Amino acid sequence: MAAIDVALRGLTDRALLELTRAGDRSAIEAWRTGYLGRSGALSLHMRSIGQLPSEERPAAGQAANAAKDTLEAAFAARQRELEEQALDQRLESEHIDVTLPGRPIHTGGLHPITHTLRRILEIFRDMGFQVAEGPEVELDWYNFQALNIPPEHPARDMWDTFYVKPPSILLRTHTSPMQARIMERTRPPVRVVVPGRCYRYEGQDASHEWMFYQVEGLAVDKGLTMADLKGVLVAFARRIFWPEIQTRFRCDYFPFVEPGVEMSVQCPLCRGEGCRVCKTTGWIELLGAGMVHPRVLRNVGYDPDVVNGFAFGMGAERIAMVKHGVDDIRSFYGNDLRFLQQFT
Ligand SMILES: [Zn+2]
């Protein structure tokens, strides 16, 4: 066998072996340049044929062309093989198991106190009350003095107060300051409810929080009586609890009303039989109320000889606790989702 044939056979064998080892696209491209490219091994071989004696050239040329066909076919086959491998890998890695359960979609929900506030306001709106809101940082004048609680008045002990800037700027201890704010800018008749946060400087326990929501109510008109106050509050209790619920009014003291009352309702948990929540009395104190004190009316420029009114204030948490049988007010603000999600 002529030397040139031996060289071609060696080149072809080496090329085919290297091609099987080329494992990716860039490797086989390098292989192609190395053998079939313009300065590749096979091209150099072909160029060397020109130096052979003329009678040997045709056979050597034919052999070289056949080798070129072989390498090109082998390249095409290897390229296909690698593409198939890559596709298989992709199908494997992007495999989706359609039988797996879907990921749950987390949705938010309203806080139980938000639900309760909306329900309370809805009931009073139906009775013709407007809704107003006021500042949480309040002046001593509106929080106390306008409500017939001058400085040093012993009744101030009823509200332990956070002062922002003593003695005149504080965090409101109730929503009642809005009574004076609303009457100052409105001529009678007034019918308004005021929801909002209140703050008290006191220890937390099952029935006390330092922050809570109140809903204040105020009606001022000519000729309002205790009967109007009772009618509104009984109608409210019947709607927020159930239509036959029993209510009870007893005397109570708040400096800004005269007379003052507290309203109790039949315990919704035991329906009056007596249980742990109502401390076996069958009754639960729900809210404070009364006829607006003449001095409060005078403080905002109303004439108590011409108009009078009634006011009431209730804790939203208290309503929610009674309605849902929650026995610890701290549950509402403990951020325990297991508790909160029961209400959404
Ligand atoms: Zn009870």
Short mmCIF file of all heavy atoms in Angstrom, two decimals, residues 179-204:
data_model
loop_
_atom_site.label_atom_id
_atom_site.label_comp_id
_atom_site.label_asym_id
_atom_site.label_seq_id
_atom_site.Cartn_x
_atom_site.Cartn_y
_atom_site.Cartn_z
N GLN A 179 -67.92 64.09 69.49
CA GLN A 179 -69.23 64.72 69.77
C GLN A 179 -69.10 66.23 69.62
O GLN A 179 -69.85 66.87 68.88
CB GLN A 179 -69.68 64.40 71.20
CG GLN A 179 -70.13 62.96 71.40
CD GLN A 179 -70.77 62.80 72.78
OE1 GLN A 179 -71.22 63.77 73.40
NE2 GLN A 179 -70.85 61.56 73.25
N ALA A 180 -68.11 66.78 70.35
CA ALA A 180 -67.95 68.24 70.33
C ALA A 180 -67.49 68.72 68.95
O ALA A 180 -67.97 69.74 68.44
CB ALA A 180 -66.96 68.67 71.41
N ARG A 181 -66.55 67.99 68.35
CA ARG A 181 -66.04 68.41 67.04
C ARG A 181 -67.16 68.47 65.99
O ARG A 181 -67.20 69.38 65.16
CB ARG A 181 -64.95 67.45 66.56
CG ARG A 181 -63.60 67.67 67.24
CD ARG A 181 -62.55 66.73 66.65
NE ARG A 181 -61.24 66.97 67.23
CZ ARG A 181 -60.39 67.91 66.82
NH1 ARG A 181 -60.72 68.71 65.82
NH2 ARG A 181 -59.22 68.05 67.42
N ILE A 182 -68.06 67.49 66.05
CA ILE A 182 -69.14 67.46 65.06
C ILE A 182 -70.17 68.56 65.34
O ILE A 182 -70.58 69.29 64.43
CB ILE A 182 -69.82 66.07 65.04
CG1 ILE A 182 -68.86 65.06 64.41
CG2 ILE A 182 -71.13 66.11 64.27
CD1 ILE A 182 -69.22 63.62 64.69
N MET A 183 -70.53 68.73 66.62
CA MET A 183 -71.55 69.74 66.94
C MET A 183 -71.05 71.15 66.64
O MET A 183 -71.83 72.02 66.24
CB MET A 183 -71.98 69.61 68.40
CG MET A 183 -72.84 68.38 68.64
SD MET A 183 -73.63 68.34 70.28
CE MET A 183 -72.28 67.85 71.33
N GLU A 184 -69.73 71.36 66.83
CA GLU A 184 -69.16 72.69 66.53
C GLU A 184 -69.39 73.12 65.09
O GLU A 184 -69.51 74.28 64.78
CB GLU A 184 -67.64 72.66 66.76
CG GLU A 184 -67.22 73.02 68.15
CD GLU A 184 -65.69 72.97 68.28
OE1 GLU A 184 -65.02 72.49 67.35
OE2 GLU A 184 -65.20 73.41 69.31
N ARG A 185 -69.36 72.14 64.18
CA ARG A 185 -69.46 72.51 62.77
C ARG A 185 -70.80 72.13 62.14
O ARG A 185 -70.97 72.23 60.93
CB ARG A 185 -68.30 71.86 61.99
CG ARG A 185 -68.30 70.35 62.04
CD ARG A 185 -67.22 69.75 61.16
NE ARG A 185 -67.44 68.34 60.98
CZ ARG A 185 -66.54 67.39 61.24
NH1 ARG A 185 -65.33 67.70 61.65
NH2 ARG A 185 -66.83 66.12 61.04
N THR A 186 -71.76 71.68 62.96
CA THR A 186 -73.05 71.27 62.42
C THR A 186 -74.16 71.93 63.22
O THR A 186 -74.07 72.04 64.44
CB THR A 186 -73.24 69.74 62.56
OG1 THR A 186 -72.02 69.11 62.24
CG2 THR A 186 -74.33 69.23 61.64
N ARG A 187 -75.18 72.32 62.58
CA ARG A 187 -76.37 72.79 63.31
C ARG A 187 -77.29 71.60 63.47
O ARG A 187 -77.32 70.71 62.61
CB ARG A 187 -77.10 73.92 62.54
CG ARG A 187 -76.31 75.22 62.27
CD ARG A 187 -75.36 75.62 63.38
NE ARG A 187 -76.00 75.89 64.68
CZ ARG A 187 -75.33 76.00 65.83
NH1 ARG A 187 -74.02 75.84 65.85
NH2 ARG A 187 -75.99 76.25 66.95
N PRO A 188 -78.07 71.54 64.56
CA PRO A 188 -78.97 70.40 64.75
C PRO A 188 -80.01 70.36 63.62
O PRO A 188 -80.30 71.43 63.07
CB PRO A 188 -79.65 70.68 66.09
CG PRO A 188 -78.97 71.88 66.68
CD PRO A 188 -78.16 72.53 65.62
N PRO A 189 -80.57 69.23 63.26
CA PRO A 189 -80.39 67.94 63.92
C PRO A 189 -79.08 67.23 63.51
O PRO A 189 -78.62 67.40 62.40
CB PRO A 189 -81.59 67.13 63.42
CG PRO A 189 -81.90 67.70 62.08
CD PRO A 189 -81.55 69.18 62.16
N VAL A 190 -78.56 66.44 64.47
CA VAL A 190 -77.33 65.67 64.25
C VAL A 190 -77.65 64.20 64.47
O VAL A 190 -78.33 63.85 65.44
CB VAL A 190 -76.24 66.10 65.26
CG1 VAL A 190 -75.02 65.18 65.15
CG2 VAL A 190 -75.84 67.55 65.07
N ARG A 191 -77.22 63.38 63.56
CA ARG A 191 -77.29 61.93 63.78
C ARG A 191 -76.04 61.33 63.17
O ARG A 191 -75.88 61.30 61.95
CB ARG A 191 -78.53 61.32 63.10
CG ARG A 191 -79.66 61.03 64.07
CD ARG A 191 -80.81 60.36 63.40
NE ARG A 191 -81.35 61.20 62.33
CZ ARG A 191 -82.40 60.86 61.59
NH1 ARG A 191 -83.00 59.72 61.77
NH2 ARG A 191 -82.83 61.67 60.64
N VAL A 192 -75.11 60.91 64.03
CA VAL A 192 -73.81 60.50 63.50
C VAL A 192 -73.24 59.35 64.33
O VAL A 192 -73.49 59.24 65.54
CB VAL A 192 -72.85 61.72 63.48
CG1 VAL A 192 -72.49 62.18 64.87
CG2 VAL A 192 -71.61 61.44 62.66
N VAL A 193 -72.52 58.45 63.67
CA VAL A 193 -71.73 57.43 64.39
C VAL A 193 -70.27 57.61 64.00
O VAL A 193 -69.95 57.97 62.86
CB VAL A 193 -72.18 55.98 64.08
CG1 VAL A 193 -73.40 55.61 64.90
CG2 VAL A 193 -72.41 55.76 62.60
N VAL A 194 -69.38 57.39 64.97
CA VAL A 194 -67.95 57.64 64.78
C VAL A 194 -67.16 56.39 65.17
O VAL A 194 -67.05 56.07 66.35
CB VAL A 194 -67.47 58.80 65.68
CG1 VAL A 194 -66.01 59.13 65.39
CG2 VAL A 194 -68.35 60.02 65.50
N PRO A 195 -66.64 55.66 64.18
CA PRO A 195 -65.78 54.52 64.52
C PRO A 195 -64.34 55.00 64.66
O PRO A 195 -63.96 56.00 64.04
CB PRO A 195 -65.91 53.62 63.29
CG PRO A 195 -66.12 54.59 62.15
CD PRO A 195 -66.84 55.80 62.72
N GLY A 196 -63.54 54.31 65.46
CA GLY A 196 -62.13 54.69 65.49
C GLY A 196 -61.36 54.04 66.63
O GLY A 196 -61.92 53.46 67.55
N ARG A 197 -60.03 54.17 66.51
CA ARG A 197 -59.13 53.60 67.52
C ARG A 197 -59.07 54.51 68.74
O ARG A 197 -59.06 55.74 68.61
CB ARG A 197 -57.71 53.50 66.97
CG ARG A 197 -57.46 52.35 66.05
CD ARG A 197 -55.96 52.16 65.91
NE ARG A 197 -55.66 51.37 64.73
CZ ARG A 197 -55.39 51.88 63.55
NH1 ARG A 197 -55.36 53.19 63.40
NH2 ARG A 197 -55.15 51.11 62.52
N CYS A 198 -58.96 53.89 69.91
CA CYS A 198 -58.78 54.63 71.15
C CYS A 198 -57.64 53.98 71.92
O CYS A 198 -57.30 52.82 71.68
CB CYS A 198 -60.04 54.55 72.00
SG CYS A 198 -61.50 55.09 71.11
N TYR A 199 -57.06 54.76 72.82
CA TYR A 199 -55.87 54.29 73.54
C TYR A 199 -56.03 54.53 75.03
O TYR A 199 -56.48 55.60 75.45
CB TYR A 199 -54.63 55.02 73.05
CG TYR A 199 -54.40 54.88 71.56
CD1 TYR A 199 -55.06 55.73 70.67
CD2 TYR A 199 -53.57 53.88 71.06
CE1 TYR A 199 -54.88 55.58 69.30
CE2 TYR A 199 -53.38 53.73 69.69
CZ TYR A 199 -54.04 54.58 68.82
OH TYR A 199 -53.86 54.44 67.47
N ARG A 200 -55.65 53.54 75.83
CA ARG A 200 -55.66 53.75 77.28
C ARG A 200 -54.40 53.15 77.89
O ARG A 200 -53.97 52.07 77.49
CB ARG A 200 -56.90 53.13 77.91
CG ARG A 200 -58.11 53.95 77.53
CD ARG A 200 -59.31 53.67 78.37
NE ARG A 200 -60.49 54.25 77.69
CZ ARG A 200 -61.73 53.92 77.96
NH1 ARG A 200 -61.98 53.03 78.90
NH2 ARG A 200 -62.71 54.48 77.30
N TYR A 201 -53.87 53.91 78.84
CA TYR A 201 -52.63 53.51 79.49
C TYR A 201 -52.98 52.53 80.59
O TYR A 201 -53.17 52.90 81.74
CB TYR A 201 -51.95 54.77 80.05
CG TYR A 201 -50.63 54.51 80.72
CD1 TYR A 201 -49.57 53.98 80.01
CD2 TYR A 201 -50.45 54.82 82.06
CE1 TYR A 201 -48.36 53.75 80.63
CE2 TYR A 201 -49.24 54.60 82.69
CZ TYR A 201 -48.19 54.05 81.96
OH TYR A 201 -47.00 53.82 82.57
N GLU A 202 -53.12 51.26 80.19
CA GLU A 202 -53.48 50.29 81.22
C GLU A 202 -52.94 48.90 80.87
O GLU A 202 -52.59 48.63 79.73
CB GLU A 202 -54.98 50.24 81.45
CG GLU A 202 -55.81 49.85 80.25
CD GLU A 202 -57.30 49.95 80.57
OE1 GLU A 202 -57.65 49.88 81.76
OE2 GLU A 202 -58.10 50.12 79.65
N GLY A 203 -52.83 48.06 81.89
CA GLY A 203 -52.31 46.72 81.69
C GLY A 203 -53.27 45.90 80.83
O GLY A 203 -54.47 46.12 80.84
N GLN A 204 -52.67 44.95 80.08
CA GLN A 204 -53.52 44.10 79.24
C GLN A 204 -53.95 42.88 80.04
O GLN A 204 -53.17 42.29 80.79
CB GLN A 204 -52.73 43.60 78.03
CG GLN A 204 -52.42 44.69 77.03
CD GLN A 204 -51.37 44.21 76.05
OE1 GLN A 204 -50.20 44.17 76.35
NE2 GLN A 204 -51.82 43.83 74.87
#
